[in-house]
Amino acid sequence: EADIYQTPRYLVIGTGKKITLECSQTMGHDKMYWYQQDPGMELHLIHYSYGVNSTEKGDLSSESTVSRIRTEHFPLTLESARPSHTSQYLCASSRGVLAGGTQETQYFGPGTRLLVL
Amino acid sequence: AQSVTQLDSHVSVSEGTPVLLRCNYSSSYSPSLFWYVQHPNKGLQLLLKYTSAATLVKGINGFEAEFKKSETSFHLTKPSAHMSDAAEYFCVVSGPRGTGSARQLTFGSGTQLTVLP
């Protein structure tokens, strides 16, 4: 069973507030990801990290920022929340593609549903 | 359980010739299938997705893929390769639809596409 956790699970907050969505995994995975998903839609990658002190932006532009100071922790921060940020945010981790081409599986946390009023 | 197999780890084509990247899947459910592209030092970008509507799916940059249930395949094609198509391509199968969120995405091992001038 994958051990990846996200808090909070649900968050309702007013416009302009600073928020941090937490993501932690205990599997020792080097790669971690943040995805944004609107209801019934596909995942869009907004941030990813290949390891400590590595962060990159994904294919969907996002006003959020991330940090990776520890392997197990990959928090996402919005400095000033807006209604357009209302969505579900999913964190994932993986070991990456192994030598020999073994397929990669990403394990996802339960997600944080964010509502900005 | 689900799995995805990309049959070629490397494909080389000349500019202007057709592209075919092969993908076979295995799933206990009616799957959702995706193709993602990753350019060097970039994150994953969604090319196209299949979620049970039309079996021929058109994506960005002239790519398309056909879902063939009888062959459990989801091959990616493009009529005419461009130099900018050189990248790594991942075939992805997701968990059962209707869950509201993707609990697990399984990525293929990737196909590196080289486009020769």
Side-chain angles (χ1 to χ4, degrees):
Chain A
E1 187 71 23
D3 295 320
I4 180 164
Y5 310 98
Q6 289 184 244
T7 57
R9 292 292 310 278
Y10 302 92
L11 180 61
V12 181
I13 201 163
T15 296
K17 299 293 185 183
K18 178 180 178 178
I19 59 171
T20 296
L21 308 185
E22 302 287 350
C23 176
S24 296
Q25 51 94 6
T26 59
M27 296 172 283
H29 288 171
D30 287 325
K31 294 174 75 173
M32 295 189 75
Y33 313 79
W34 276 103
Y35 293 84
Q36 186 172 339
Q37 185 185 31
D38 292 318
M41 304 295 286
E42 69 274 15
L43 300 175
H44 288 286
L45 182 69
I46 52 175
H47 297 284
Y48 64 102
S49 167
Y50 284 137
V52 171
N53 294 326
S54 153
T55 61
E56 301 287 343
K57 288 190 177 295
D59 63 316
L60 180 67
S61 176
S62 174
E63 294 168 344
S64 58
T65 59
V66 292
S67 63
R68 189 89 183 276
I69 298 172
R70 303 198 312 267
T71 298
E72 63 271 20
H73 196 212
F74 191 40
L76 180 145
T77 298
L78 275 166
E79 291 292 333
S80 179
R82 293 208 302 271
S84 60
H85 296 139
T86 295
S87 189
Q88 179 170 236
Y89 292 85
L90 290 161
C91 180
S93 73
S94 74
R95 287 187 293 173
V97 180
L98 304 178
T102 306
Q103 67 184 21
E104 174 186 45
T105 296
Q106 292 189 15
Y107 294 91
F108 283 76
T112 294
R113 291 188 183 274
L114 174 64
L115 172 61
V116 184
L117 303 175
Chain B
Q2 59 200 36
S3 66
V4 59
T5 301
Q6 291 183 243
L7 299 167
D8 307 291
S9 58
H10 292 88
V11 170
S12 252
V13 299
S14 297
E15 190 174 22
T17 64
V19 176
L20 170 63
L21 305 183
R22 297 183 294 166
C23 173
N24 286 105
Y25 70 91
S26 170
S27 176
S28 305
Y29 311 93
S30 297
S32 292
L33 293 157
F34 308 83
W35 275 99
Y36 284 82
V37 60
Q38 187 171 30
H39 288 92
N41 301 316
K42 300 285 187 183
L44 290 169
Q45 180 183 19
L46 181 67
L47 272 181
L48 50 80
K49 62 176 179 175
Y50 166 78
T51 55
S52 87
T55 56
L56 182 62
V57 182
K58 293 187 184 297
I60 61 172
N61 301 335
F63 284 95
E64 61 183 37
E66 186 171 7
F67 174 74
K68 291 186 177 180
K69 187 175 181 179
S70 60
E71 299 176 9
T72 61
S73 69
F74 190 57
H75 301 334
L76 181 71
T77 61
K78 183 174 180 178
S80 176
H82 192 271
M83 295 296 289
S84 61
D85 294 328
E88 189 158 22
Y89 292 80
F90 293 92
C91 183
V92 181
V93 60
S94 76
R97 290 192 301 278
T99 59
S101 66
R103 293 302 300 273
Q104 180 170 306
L105 293 181
T106 300
F107 284 67
S109 54
T111 298
Q112 185 67 46
L113 175 65
T114 300
V115 181
L116 304 170

